[in-house]
Amino acid sequence: MSDHIYKKIELTGSSTEGVEQAIRNAVSRASQTIRNMRWFEVVETRGHIEDGRVAHWQVTLKIGFTLEDGPGV
């Protein structure tokens, strides 16, 4: 197993369906521009309330990905 260097980013996904879908939305969108994603951790969960009901879920994630080897590595 080779050594890896990881970088973390933080982003917030949202969904009207629930927490799990908010996570999936965030990971799916991040995967369009970030390669080598390896893990995520949920750091915050919150929601938006309208008319006394939960209208929207928001989940803040940290996503870790491996950095690619550069020239001469």
Side-chain angles (χ1 to χ4, degrees), residues 10-28:
E10 186 172 286
L11 60 149
T12 301
S14 63
S15 172
T16 58
E17 297 175 31
V19 171
E20 185 174 341
Q21 190 59 46
I23 293 168
R24 292 181 187 282
N25 289 346
V27 170
S28 176

Side-chain angles (χ1 to χ4, degrees), residues 9-70:
I9 60 168
E10 186 172 286
L11 60 149
T12 301
S14 63
S15 172
T16 58
E17 297 175 31
V19 171
E20 185 174 341
Q21 190 59 46
I23 293 168
R24 292 181 187 282
N25 289 346
V27 170
S28 176
R29 176 59 184 88
S31 73
Q32 294 175 22
T33 56
I34 299 170
R35 294 185 301 275
N36 304 319
M37 291 191 301
R38 300 292 183 235
W39 51 265
F40 72 89
E41 67 180 281
V42 174
V43 295
E44 183 176 38
T45 304
R46 63 183 175 271
H48 177 73
I49 300 170
E50 287 181 10
D51 299 322
R53 302 180 92 172
V54 175
H56 225 91
W57 292 93
Q58 299 171 334
V59 180
T60 300
L61 310 171
K62 289 185 180 179
I63 294 181
F65 58 97
T66 55
L67 297 177
E68 296 177 345
D69 290 338

